[in-house]
Amino acid sequence: MKRELLIVDGYNIIGAWPHLVKLKNQDKLEDARDSLLHELSNYQKYTGIDIYVVFDAQFVPGIQQSYKKYQLLVIFTKEGETADSYIERIVGKESTLLTQVTVATSDLAEQWIIFQKGALRKSANELFSDVKRIKKAIEADAQQYRLQNYRRNSPWSHNQIDRLEKLRDDLTKH
């Protein structure tokens, strides 16, 4: 099975997701970055996809670094290097027979370049929809888990509950 890697153009996504744009416009760029990382972390943990989030030096000059946060690899490019050029370089290295790379950006020129290098593309809106879908799945799973715990403390056995459900279904048919 191929390893899946999602590379996210951080500022491109912040500029496209409504709640992150709002934070950015309120001069809370750090909060927008942290919110993006938090949401992508939940997405990563649920899907099992490795995620790199790339921010260029446009808004945070001179701090080239990479570090792990929320089990994501967060990368700030060196000053003068765009996130696009960094992403193109990483796609070239990571895109192999054993790794399927997807890049999340709404930059059409960037999408063409990474597609030529063998990576898939995902727009900011597609990623936003995926993240929302995963949030709902997480909530449903959490609700199911809570119900299992509730049912576990029930005085009824699973067999008795199954029989009662069958009886209820039979009664509602007639």
Side-chain angles (χ1 to χ4, degrees):
M1 183 169 190
K2 276 190 165 189
R3 169 182 169 240
E4 292 185 60
L5 172 62
L6 175 65
I7 302 173
V8 178
D9 184 342
Y11 289 129
N12 185 277
I13 301 300
I14 287 174
W17 290 8
H19 64 290
L20 300 179
V21 169
K22 186 176 179 182
L23 287 171
K24 180 183 171 192
N25 292 339
Q26 295 172 349
D27 291 327
K28 296 180 179 178
L29 190 57
E30 188 174 332
D31 291 343
R33 279 192 304 261
D34 201 51
S35 179
L36 174 64
L37 295 176
H38 182 72
E39 290 186 46
L40 290 175
S41 173
N42 289 336
Y43 180 79
Q44 185 273 330
K45 288 173 186 163
Y46 194 82
T47 62
I49 297 171
D50 291 336
I51 299 178
Y52 297 175
V53 185
V54 181
F55 297 103
D56 58 29
Q58 177 183 1
F59 297 108
V60 188
I63 65 159
Q64 178 187 6
Q65 63 177 339
S66 62
Y67 57 90
K68 285 280 207 177
K69 184 169 186 177
Y70 306 131
Q71 296 181 346
L72 306 171
L73 181 61
V74 181
I75 301 150
F76 284 91
T77 65
K78 61 187 173 195
E79 194 167 354
E81 181 180 31
T82 65
D84 291 350
S85 62
Y86 185 88
I87 289 170
E88 291 164 20
R89 193 171 68 245
I90 291 298
V91 166
K93 288 179 186 174
E94 294 284 346
S95 189
T96 65
L97 292 174
L98 300 176
T99 303
Q100 178 59 63
V101 178
T102 303
V103 176
T105 182
S106 287
D107 181 335
L108 291 176
E110 181 65 9
Q111 288 179 357
W112 278 105
I113 291 169
I114 61 97
F115 193 69
Q116 290 172 344
K117 291 182 177 260
L120 301 176
R121 63 116 196 116
K122 186 176 285 208
S123 72
N125 287 335
E126 288 172 319
L127 182 60
F128 187 62
S129 295
D130 285 352
V131 167
K132 285 193 318 189
R133 181 179 47 80
I134 293 299
K135 272 185 188 178
K136 287 181 182 176
I138 290 170
E139 289 170 9
D141 287 351
Q143 179 66 18
Q144 183 66 29
Y145 179 75
R146 283 192 293 276
L147 289 176
Q148 284 176 348
N149 283 340
Y150 177 74
R151 190 176 255 187
R152 192 178 302 148
N153 295 330
S154 171
W156 301 91
S157 72
H158 288 291
N159 187 29
Q160 290 171 322
I161 290 173
D162 290 342
R163 287 177 44 208
L164 284 170
E165 286 175 351
K166 185 180 180 322
L167 179 61
R168 177 201 62 209
D169 292 343
D170 288 345
L171 289 172
T172 56
K173 287 181 186 176
H174 301 292

